[in-house]
Amino acid sequence: MGKSELQGIIAGGGLVGLTAALALHQKGISVKVFESVPEIKPLGVGINLLPHSVQNLAKLGLLKDLEKVAIKTSSLAYYTEDGKAIWREPRGLDAGYDVPQLSIHRGDFHMILLATAEERLGPENIIRNHHFSGFDQDESSVTAHFVDRTNGDPKTSITGDFLIGADGINSSLRRLFYPDEGPPKYSGQMLWRGVTEMDPYLDGRSMFMAGHNDLKLVAYPIREESHKRGKSYINWIAERRIPSDLAERQADWNEEGLLDEFKSDFADWDLGWLDMDRLFEEAISIHKFPMVDRDPLPKWSFGRVTLMGDAAHAMYPNGSNGVSQGVLDAMTFADILCETNDIPSAIEEYEKTRREVTQKIILANRQTGPERVMQMVKEQCPGTCGEEHSCVPKDVLENVALSYKKLAGFDKQGLAASK
Ligand SMILES: Cc1cc2nc3c(=O)[nH]c(=O)nc-3n(C[C@H](O)[C@H](O)[C@H](O)COP(=O)(O)OP(=O)(O)OC[C@H]3O[C@@H](n4cnc5c(N)ncnc54)[C@H](O)[C@@H]3O)c2cc1C
Protein backbone atom coordinates (compact mmCIF):
# COMPACT_ATOMS: atom_id res chain seq x y z
CA MET A 1 0.00 0.00 0.00
CA GLY A 2 1.41 3.45 -0.92
CA LYS A 3 1.56 6.12 1.74
CA SER A 4 -1.00 8.24 -0.09
CA GLU A 5 -3.52 5.41 0.25
CA LEU A 6 -3.29 5.43 4.04
CA GLN A 7 -6.08 7.24 5.86
CA GLY A 8 -5.51 8.49 9.39
CA ILE A 9 -8.13 9.74 11.84
CA ILE A 10 -7.25 12.22 14.59
CA ALA A 11 -9.66 12.94 17.44
CA GLY A 12 -8.88 16.45 18.75
CA GLY A 13 -7.93 19.58 16.82
CA GLY A 14 -5.83 21.16 19.59
CA LEU A 15 -2.14 21.95 19.38
CA VAL A 16 -0.94 18.38 19.13
CA GLY A 17 -3.73 17.01 16.92
CA LEU A 18 -3.06 19.71 14.31
CA THR A 19 0.72 19.29 14.56
CA ALA A 20 0.27 15.56 13.97
CA ALA A 21 -1.97 16.28 10.98
CA LEU A 22 0.72 18.53 9.45
CA ALA A 23 3.50 16.03 10.17
CA LEU A 24 1.56 13.14 8.58
CA HIS A 25 0.52 15.26 5.60
CA GLN A 26 4.16 16.15 5.02
CA LYS A 27 4.92 12.43 4.75
CA GLY A 28 2.17 12.00 2.16
CA ILE A 29 -0.30 10.35 4.54
CA SER A 30 -3.96 11.45 4.32
CA VAL A 31 -5.56 12.46 7.55
CA LYS A 32 -8.83 13.86 8.86
CA VAL A 33 -9.01 15.79 12.13
CA PHE A 34 -12.24 15.75 14.15
CA GLU A 35 -12.62 18.48 16.76
CA SER A 36 -15.32 18.49 19.40
CA VAL A 37 -16.09 22.22 19.53
CA PRO A 38 -18.13 23.91 16.77
CA GLU A 39 -15.69 26.81 16.46
CA ILE A 40 -11.92 26.66 17.04
CA LYS A 41 -11.04 29.86 18.92
CA PRO A 42 -7.69 31.34 20.04
CA LEU A 43 -8.02 30.34 23.71
CA GLY A 44 -5.60 30.12 26.62
CA VAL A 45 -2.64 32.28 27.52
CA GLY A 46 1.11 31.68 27.32
CA ILE A 47 3.02 28.54 26.50
CA ASN A 48 6.65 27.83 25.77
CA LEU A 49 8.07 26.08 22.76
CA LEU A 50 11.47 24.75 23.74
CA PRO A 51 14.23 24.39 21.13
CA HIS A 52 13.57 20.69 20.45
CA SER A 53 9.97 21.38 19.48
CA VAL A 54 10.91 24.53 17.55
CA GLN A 55 13.43 22.47 15.58
CA ASN A 56 10.59 20.14 14.61
CA LEU A 57 8.10 22.91 13.90
CA ALA A 58 10.76 24.40 11.61
CA LYS A 59 10.81 21.09 9.71
CA LEU A 60 7.08 21.61 9.15
CA GLY A 61 7.82 25.06 7.69
CA LEU A 62 6.21 26.97 10.56
CA LEU A 63 9.20 28.85 11.99
CA LYS A 64 8.71 32.12 10.08
CA ASP A 65 5.07 32.40 11.08
CA LEU A 66 5.85 31.57 14.70
CA GLU A 67 8.73 34.06 14.90
CA LYS A 68 6.48 36.83 13.58
CA VAL A 69 4.17 36.60 16.60
CA ALA A 70 6.16 35.01 19.43
CA ILE A 71 8.89 36.31 21.70
CA LYS A 72 12.33 34.78 21.22
CA THR A 73 13.08 34.09 24.86
CA SER A 74 16.57 35.24 25.81
CA SER A 75 16.96 33.83 29.32
CA LEU A 76 15.42 31.99 32.21
CA ALA A 77 16.14 33.02 35.79
CA TYR A 78 15.01 31.95 39.24
CA TYR A 79 14.71 34.38 42.15
CA THR A 80 13.62 34.49 45.75
CA GLU A 81 10.73 36.81 46.59
CA ASP A 82 13.12 39.63 47.53
CA GLY A 83 14.49 39.70 43.97
CA LYS A 84 17.80 37.96 44.72
CA ALA A 85 18.91 35.75 41.85
CA ILE A 86 19.33 32.00 42.39
CA TRP A 87 20.20 30.87 38.88
CA ARG A 88 20.25 32.51 35.45
CA GLU A 89 20.81 30.88 32.12
CA PRO A 90 20.56 32.06 28.52
CA ARG A 91 17.93 30.34 26.41
CA GLY A 92 17.36 29.56 22.74
CA LEU A 93 19.50 31.58 20.29
CA ASP A 94 21.15 33.41 23.20
CA ALA A 95 22.33 30.04 24.53
CA GLY A 96 23.81 29.10 21.15
CA TYR A 97 21.00 26.84 19.89
CA ASP A 98 20.31 26.90 16.14
CA VAL A 99 16.68 27.73 16.79
CA PRO A 100 14.99 30.02 19.31
CA GLN A 101 12.99 29.13 22.37
CA LEU A 102 9.61 30.74 21.72
CA SER A 103 7.19 32.12 24.27
CA ILE A 104 3.84 32.41 22.56
CA HIS A 105 0.14 32.91 23.19
CA ARG A 106 -1.50 29.50 22.93
CA GLY A 107 -4.22 31.03 20.76
CA ASP A 108 -1.67 32.53 18.34
CA PHE A 109 0.04 29.15 17.99
CA HIS A 110 -3.28 27.36 17.58
CA MET A 111 -4.41 29.74 14.83
CA ILE A 112 -1.11 29.31 12.92
CA LEU A 113 -1.51 25.53 13.07
CA LEU A 114 -5.16 25.73 12.04
CA ALA A 115 -4.60 28.08 9.08
CA THR A 116 -1.66 25.98 7.86
CA ALA A 117 -3.54 22.71 8.27
CA GLU A 118 -6.56 24.05 6.39
CA GLU A 119 -4.35 25.36 3.62
CA ARG A 120 -2.33 22.16 3.23
CA LEU A 121 -4.89 19.45 4.00
CA GLY A 122 -7.96 21.33 2.78
CA PRO A 123 -10.59 22.78 5.13
CA GLU A 124 -12.82 19.75 4.52
CA ASN A 125 -10.32 17.66 6.51
CA ILE A 126 -10.51 19.73 9.71
CA ILE A 127 -13.98 18.89 10.88
CA ARG A 128 -15.57 20.79 13.78
CA ASN A 129 -18.47 19.87 16.01
CA HIS A 130 -17.59 16.17 16.00
CA HIS A 131 -16.98 14.74 19.46
CA PHE A 132 -15.17 11.42 19.42
CA SER A 133 -17.20 8.80 21.32
CA GLY A 134 -15.93 5.33 20.46
CA PHE A 135 -14.27 3.01 17.95
CA ASP A 136 -14.24 -0.52 16.55
CA GLN A 137 -11.28 -2.16 14.94
CA ASP A 138 -10.38 -5.38 13.17
CA GLU A 139 -7.27 -6.75 11.46
CA SER A 140 -7.41 -4.32 8.57
CA SER A 141 -9.04 -1.07 9.75
CA VAL A 142 -10.45 1.06 12.53
CA THR A 143 -13.80 2.86 12.58
CA ALA A 144 -14.18 5.93 14.80
CA HIS A 145 -17.57 7.21 15.93
CA PHE A 146 -18.46 10.85 16.54
CA VAL A 147 -21.42 12.51 18.22
CA ASP A 148 -22.73 16.02 18.78
CA ARG A 149 -21.29 16.75 22.22
CA THR A 150 -24.20 18.97 23.25
CA ASN A 151 -26.84 16.24 23.01
CA GLY A 152 -24.95 13.01 22.28
CA ASP A 153 -26.70 12.50 18.92
CA PRO A 154 -24.64 10.39 16.50
CA LYS A 155 -23.00 12.48 13.75
CA THR A 156 -20.78 10.21 11.73
CA SER A 157 -18.57 7.13 11.68
CA ILE A 158 -15.45 6.98 9.60
CA THR A 159 -13.15 4.09 8.74
CA GLY A 160 -9.40 4.48 8.36
CA ASP A 161 -6.07 2.78 8.92
CA PHE A 162 -5.23 4.30 12.30
CA LEU A 163 -6.78 6.46 15.00
CA ILE A 164 -4.93 8.95 17.21
CA GLY A 165 -6.54 10.31 20.37
CA ALA A 166 -5.15 13.86 20.70
CA ASP A 167 -8.17 14.94 22.70
CA GLY A 168 -6.44 16.55 25.65
CA ILE A 169 -6.31 16.08 29.40
CA ASN A 170 -9.92 14.88 29.61
CA SER A 171 -9.47 12.51 26.68
CA SER A 172 -12.47 10.38 25.69
CA LEU A 173 -10.22 7.79 24.05
CA ARG A 174 -8.07 7.42 27.16
CA ARG A 175 -11.29 6.92 29.18
CA LEU A 176 -12.27 4.05 26.87
CA PHE A 177 -8.89 2.40 27.50
CA TYR A 178 -8.89 3.16 31.23
CA PRO A 179 -12.52 3.58 32.34
CA ASP A 180 -11.70 3.54 36.06
CA GLU A 181 -9.01 6.22 35.98
CA GLY A 182 -11.18 9.14 37.15
CA PRO A 183 -10.40 12.86 36.89
CA PRO A 184 -6.90 14.38 36.62
CA LYS A 185 -4.81 14.39 39.81
CA TYR A 186 -4.65 17.62 41.75
CA SER A 187 -1.19 18.66 42.93
CA GLY A 188 -2.31 20.84 45.82
CA GLN A 189 -1.31 23.97 43.86
CA MET A 190 -3.75 26.44 42.35
CA LEU A 191 -2.67 28.54 39.37
CA TRP A 192 -4.03 31.99 38.49
CA ARG A 193 -3.02 32.58 34.89
CA GLY A 194 -3.16 36.13 33.59
CA VAL A 195 -1.91 38.43 30.86
CA THR A 196 -1.04 42.10 31.26
CA GLU A 197 0.37 44.58 28.78
CA MET A 198 2.76 46.97 30.51
CA ASP A 199 6.31 48.31 30.43
CA PRO A 200 8.92 45.62 29.82
CA TYR A 201 10.90 44.18 32.72
CA LEU A 202 14.59 43.23 32.37
CA ASP A 203 15.38 42.98 28.62
CA GLY A 204 11.76 42.42 27.57
CA ARG A 205 12.49 38.82 26.48
CA SER A 206 13.22 37.12 29.80
CA MET A 207 11.32 34.42 31.57
CA PHE A 208 11.55 34.26 35.34
CA MET A 209 10.26 32.26 38.26
CA ALA A 210 10.34 33.48 41.84
CA GLY A 211 9.40 32.09 45.23
CA HIS A 212 9.20 28.48 46.37
CA ASN A 213 6.83 25.51 46.51
CA ASP A 214 4.13 27.25 48.57
CA LEU A 215 3.99 30.54 46.69
CA LYS A 216 5.43 31.20 43.28
CA LEU A 217 5.28 33.72 40.46
CA VAL A 218 6.20 32.84 36.89
CA ALA A 219 6.20 35.40 34.06
CA TYR A 220 7.30 35.76 30.47
CA PRO A 221 6.38 38.07 27.60
CA ILE A 222 4.63 36.34 24.69
CA ARG A 223 3.91 38.81 21.86
CA GLU A 224 6.49 40.30 19.50
CA GLU A 225 4.01 42.91 18.24
CA SER A 226 3.78 44.41 21.73
CA HIS A 227 7.57 44.26 22.15
CA LYS A 228 7.98 46.24 18.91
CA ARG A 229 5.76 48.99 20.35
CA GLY A 230 8.06 49.23 23.39
CA LYS A 231 5.62 47.31 25.61
CA SER A 232 5.47 43.78 26.93
CA TYR A 233 2.49 41.44 26.66
CA ILE A 234 3.28 39.51 29.82
CA ASN A 235 1.95 36.08 30.59
CA TRP A 236 2.05 35.40 34.32
CA ILE A 237 1.12 32.63 36.67
CA ALA A 238 0.59 33.16 40.38
CA GLU A 239 0.77 29.81 42.10
CA ARG A 240 -0.28 29.06 45.67
CA ARG A 241 -0.59 25.86 47.63
CA ILE A 242 -4.23 25.06 48.48
CA PRO A 243 -4.00 21.49 49.63
CA SER A 244 -7.49 20.75 50.84
CA ASP A 245 -9.47 22.24 47.99
CA LEU A 246 -10.96 20.46 45.02
CA ALA A 247 -9.67 16.90 44.95
CA GLU A 248 -12.54 16.03 42.65
CA ARG A 249 -12.55 19.27 40.74
CA GLN A 250 -12.60 19.30 36.94
CA ALA A 251 -9.71 20.97 35.16
CA ASP A 252 -11.45 23.69 33.15
CA TRP A 253 -9.15 25.94 31.09
CA ASN A 254 -11.85 28.59 30.82
CA GLU A 255 -12.68 29.16 34.52
CA GLU A 256 -12.34 32.81 35.56
CA GLY A 257 -10.00 33.77 38.43
CA LEU A 258 -10.29 36.71 40.83
CA LEU A 259 -7.58 39.06 42.10
CA ASP A 260 -8.86 38.75 45.67
CA GLU A 261 -8.10 35.04 45.65
CA PHE A 262 -4.31 35.50 45.52
CA LYS A 263 -3.03 39.10 45.33
CA SER A 264 -2.65 39.68 49.07
CA ASP A 265 -0.38 36.61 49.35
CA PHE A 266 2.22 38.52 47.36
CA ALA A 267 1.90 41.76 49.36
CA ASP A 268 5.38 41.42 50.95
CA TRP A 269 7.18 40.62 47.71
CA ASP A 270 9.61 43.05 46.15
CA LEU A 271 11.46 41.90 43.06
CA GLY A 272 12.84 45.37 42.46
CA TRP A 273 12.55 45.41 38.67
CA LEU A 274 8.86 44.50 38.29
CA ASP A 275 5.78 46.45 39.36
CA MET A 276 3.74 43.53 40.67
CA ASP A 277 0.71 45.68 41.59
CA ARG A 278 0.38 46.79 37.98
CA LEU A 279 1.02 43.28 36.73
CA PHE A 280 -1.91 41.92 38.73
CA GLU A 281 -4.28 44.90 38.71
CA GLU A 282 -4.04 45.74 35.01
CA ALA A 283 -4.56 42.17 33.83
CA ILE A 284 -6.52 41.79 30.61
CA SER A 285 -7.73 38.39 31.79
CA ILE A 286 -7.26 36.06 34.76
CA HIS A 287 -8.07 32.37 34.66
CA LYS A 288 -7.91 29.89 37.47
CA PHE A 289 -6.69 26.37 36.86
CA PRO A 290 -5.75 23.66 39.35
CA MET A 291 -2.31 22.24 38.67
CA VAL A 292 -3.18 18.71 37.64
CA ASP A 293 -1.62 15.83 35.79
CA ARG A 294 -2.34 12.19 35.17
CA ASP A 295 -0.47 9.09 36.25
CA PRO A 296 1.84 7.55 33.65
CA LEU A 297 0.06 4.80 31.72
CA PRO A 298 1.32 1.25 31.29
CA LYS A 299 0.18 1.25 27.65
CA TRP A 300 -0.96 3.88 25.14
CA SER A 301 -1.68 1.76 22.09
CA PHE A 302 -4.12 -0.99 21.24
CA GLY A 303 -3.78 -2.28 17.66
CA ARG A 304 -4.40 0.63 15.29
CA VAL A 305 -5.30 3.10 18.01
CA THR A 306 -3.05 5.24 20.19
CA LEU A 307 -2.83 8.36 22.36
CA MET A 308 -0.81 11.54 21.88
CA GLY A 309 -0.09 14.84 23.68
CA ASP A 310 -1.96 15.55 26.92
CA ALA A 311 -4.25 12.57 26.30
CA ALA A 312 -1.17 10.35 26.66
CA HIS A 313 0.91 12.25 29.21
CA ALA A 314 -0.71 15.29 30.83
CA MET A 315 2.01 16.75 33.08
CA TYR A 316 2.52 19.66 35.46
CA PRO A 317 3.76 22.81 33.73
CA ASN A 318 7.02 22.77 35.74
CA GLY A 319 9.74 22.76 33.12
CA SER A 320 7.42 24.46 30.56
CA ASN A 321 7.54 21.32 28.54
CA GLY A 322 4.00 19.94 27.98
CA VAL A 323 3.26 21.09 24.46
CA SER A 324 6.86 20.53 23.35
CA GLN A 325 6.56 16.85 24.28
CA GLY A 326 3.32 16.66 22.28
CA VAL A 327 5.09 18.11 19.24
CA LEU A 328 7.80 15.43 19.62
CA ASP A 329 5.07 12.74 19.79
CA ALA A 330 3.54 13.99 16.55
CA MET A 331 6.83 14.12 14.64
CA THR A 332 7.97 10.73 15.96
CA PHE A 333 4.67 9.13 14.96
CA ALA A 334 4.87 10.49 11.40
CA ASP A 335 8.56 9.58 11.03
CA ILE A 336 7.94 5.98 12.09
CA LEU A 337 4.71 5.48 10.17
CA CYS A 338 6.18 6.59 6.87
CA GLU A 339 8.80 3.84 7.07
CA THR A 340 6.42 0.86 7.11
CA ASN A 341 3.08 -0.52 6.00
CA ASP A 342 2.62 -2.49 9.20
CA ILE A 343 0.53 -0.01 11.16
CA PRO A 344 0.14 -1.82 14.50
CA SER A 345 3.93 -2.37 14.60
CA ALA A 346 4.58 1.29 13.74
CA ILE A 347 2.24 2.33 16.54
CA GLU A 348 4.04 0.00 18.95
CA GLU A 349 7.34 1.52 17.89
CA TYR A 350 5.97 5.05 18.40
CA GLU A 351 4.87 4.14 21.90
CA LYS A 352 8.22 2.51 22.64
CA THR A 353 10.02 5.68 21.60
CA ARG A 354 7.82 8.12 23.49
CA ARG A 355 6.07 6.53 26.47
CA GLU A 356 8.99 5.88 28.77
CA VAL A 357 10.60 9.29 28.36
CA THR A 358 7.34 11.19 28.90
CA GLN A 359 6.64 8.99 31.92
CA LYS A 360 9.94 10.11 33.43
CA ILE A 361 9.11 13.76 32.75
CA ILE A 362 5.69 13.44 34.43
CA LEU A 363 7.44 12.09 37.52
CA ALA A 364 10.26 14.66 37.42
CA ASN A 365 7.68 17.46 37.13
CA ARG A 366 5.98 16.12 40.27
CA GLN A 367 9.26 16.92 42.02
CA THR A 368 8.89 20.44 40.48
CA GLY A 369 11.35 19.65 37.67
CA PRO A 370 14.11 22.24 37.22
CA GLU A 371 12.22 24.66 39.46
CA ARG A 372 13.29 22.74 42.54
CA VAL A 373 16.31 25.05 42.82
CA MET A 374 13.93 27.60 44.37
CA GLN A 375 12.84 25.23 47.11
CA MET A 376 16.47 24.19 47.68
CA VAL A 377 17.34 27.82 48.42
CA LYS A 378 14.23 28.25 50.58
CA GLU A 379 15.33 25.31 52.72
CA GLN A 380 19.09 25.90 52.74
CA CYS A 381 19.65 29.67 52.72
CA PRO A 382 21.03 30.89 56.08
CA GLY A 383 19.86 34.43 55.23
CA THR A 384 23.35 35.84 54.74
CA CYS A 385 23.56 35.76 50.93
CA GLY A 386 24.36 39.04 49.17
CA GLU A 387 22.86 40.31 45.87
CA GLU A 388 22.83 36.76 44.52
CA HIS A 389 22.29 33.53 46.39
CA SER A 390 25.43 31.55 47.01
CA CYS A 391 23.93 29.16 49.58
CA VAL A 392 23.52 26.34 47.04
CA PRO A 393 26.75 25.66 45.10
CA LYS A 394 26.69 26.70 41.43
CA ASP A 395 27.59 23.21 40.21
CA VAL A 396 24.57 21.75 42.02
CA LEU A 397 22.28 24.33 40.37
CA GLU A 398 23.89 23.72 37.01
CA ASN A 399 23.39 20.00 37.35
CA VAL A 400 19.66 20.40 38.11
CA ALA A 401 19.24 22.55 34.98
CA LEU A 402 21.27 20.26 32.72
CA SER A 403 19.81 16.96 33.88
CA TYR A 404 16.26 18.23 33.21
CA LYS A 405 17.26 19.42 29.74
CA LYS A 406 18.72 16.00 29.02
CA LEU A 407 15.64 14.21 30.28
CA ALA A 408 13.30 16.42 28.26
CA GLY A 409 15.53 16.16 25.18
CA PHE A 410 16.66 19.75 24.73
CA ASP A 411 20.24 19.77 25.98
CA LYS A 412 22.34 21.48 23.34
CA GLN A 413 24.60 18.57 22.45
CA GLY A 414 21.80 16.00 22.33
CA LEU A 415 19.70 18.25 20.16
CA ALA A 416 22.52 18.99 17.72
CA ALA A 417 23.12 15.23 17.38
CA SER A 418 19.43 14.55 16.65
CA LYS A 419 19.17 17.02 13.76
C1 LIG B 1 -9.13 25.94 25.88
C2 LIG B 1 -7.74 25.53 26.28
C3 LIG B 1 -6.89 26.48 26.84
C4 LIG B 1 -5.60 26.12 27.25
N1 LIG B 1 -4.80 27.07 27.79
C5 LIG B 1 -3.54 26.76 28.14
C6 LIG B 1 -2.66 27.74 28.66
O1 LIG B 1 -3.01 28.90 28.79
N2 LIG B 1 -1.40 27.37 29.02
C7 LIG B 1 -0.99 26.07 28.90
O2 LIG B 1 0.16 25.77 29.24
N3 LIG B 1 -1.79 25.13 28.38
C8 LIG B 1 -3.05 25.44 28.01
N4 LIG B 1 -3.87 24.46 27.49
C9 LIG B 1 -3.36 23.09 27.38
C10 LIG B 1 -2.35 22.92 26.27
O3 LIG B 1 -2.93 23.28 25.06
C11 LIG B 1 -1.94 21.48 26.30
O4 LIG B 1 -1.37 21.20 27.56
C12 LIG B 1 -0.86 21.14 25.30
O5 LIG B 1 -0.84 22.02 24.29
C13 LIG B 1 -1.08 19.76 24.70
O6 LIG B 1 -1.93 19.88 23.56
P1 LIG B 1 -3.02 18.80 23.20
O7 LIG B 1 -3.34 19.03 21.77
O8 LIG B 1 -2.60 17.47 23.66
O9 LIG B 1 -4.26 19.21 24.09
P2 LIG B 1 -5.23 20.46 23.91
O10 LIG B 1 -4.51 21.63 23.38
O11 LIG B 1 -5.95 20.56 25.19
O12 LIG B 1 -6.23 19.99 22.75
C14 LIG B 1 -7.18 18.94 22.87
C15 LIG B 1 -8.27 19.20 21.85
O13 LIG B 1 -9.15 18.08 21.81
C16 LIG B 1 -10.49 18.53 21.76
N5 LIG B 1 -11.32 17.45 22.30
C17 LIG B 1 -11.54 17.11 23.59
N6 LIG B 1 -12.30 16.01 23.67
C18 LIG B 1 -12.58 15.64 22.38
C19 LIG B 1 -13.32 14.57 21.81
N7 LIG B 1 -13.91 13.63 22.55
N8 LIG B 1 -13.41 14.51 20.45
C20 LIG B 1 -12.79 15.45 19.66
N9 LIG B 1 -12.08 16.48 20.17
C21 LIG B 1 -11.97 16.56 21.52
C22 LIG B 1 -10.46 19.79 22.61
O14 LIG B 1 -11.55 20.64 22.32
C23 LIG B 1 -9.12 20.40 22.19
O15 LIG B 1 -9.24 21.22 21.06
C24 LIG B 1 -5.16 24.77 27.08
C25 LIG B 1 -6.01 23.82 26.52
C26 LIG B 1 -7.29 24.18 26.11
C27 LIG B 1 -8.19 23.13 25.48
Side-chain angles (χ1 to χ4, degrees), residues 29 37 74-75 85 101 103 125 129 143 182 216 260 267 297 322 337 356 359 391 399:
I29 298 167
V37 300
S74 63
S75 66
Q101 171 168 331
S103 295
N125 287 315
N129 206 12
T143 300
K216 195 183 287 178
D260 289 351
L297 290 177
L337 197 69
E356 197 181 315
Q359 169 169 351
C391 47
N399 189 38

Side-chain angles (χ1 to χ4, degrees), residues 11-17 34-37 43-47 106 110 130-133 146 166-172 193 253-254 308-311 322-323:
L15 304 183
V16 174
F34 292 86
E35 165 57 46
S36 172
V37 300
L43 298 176
V45 280
I47 54 168
R106 179 185 180 273
H110 203 182
H130 277 64
H131 187 79
F132 168 76
S133 60
F146 297 90
D167 49 348
I169 191 164
N170 295 312
S171 165
S172 304
R193 302 156 41 249
W253 287 109
N254 299 317
M308 193 174 278
D310 278 6
V323 64

Side-chain angles (χ1 to χ4, degrees), residues 22 60-62 65 111-122:
L22 289 169
L60 295 177
L62 299 174
D65 286 344
M111 292 304 107
I112 288 172
L113 290 169
L114 179 63
T116 314
E118 292 202 313
E119 189 189 309
R120 295 184 190 171
L121 280 70

Side-chain angles (χ1 to χ4, degrees), residues 47 71 139 166-167 197 227 241 245 277 281 302 363 407 416:
I47 54 168
I71 289 286
E139 301 257 294
D167 49 348
E197 183 163 85
H227 185 74
R241 192 184 285 282
D245 192 11
D277 284 337
E281 279 161 16
F302 296 83
L363 299 178
L407 173 62

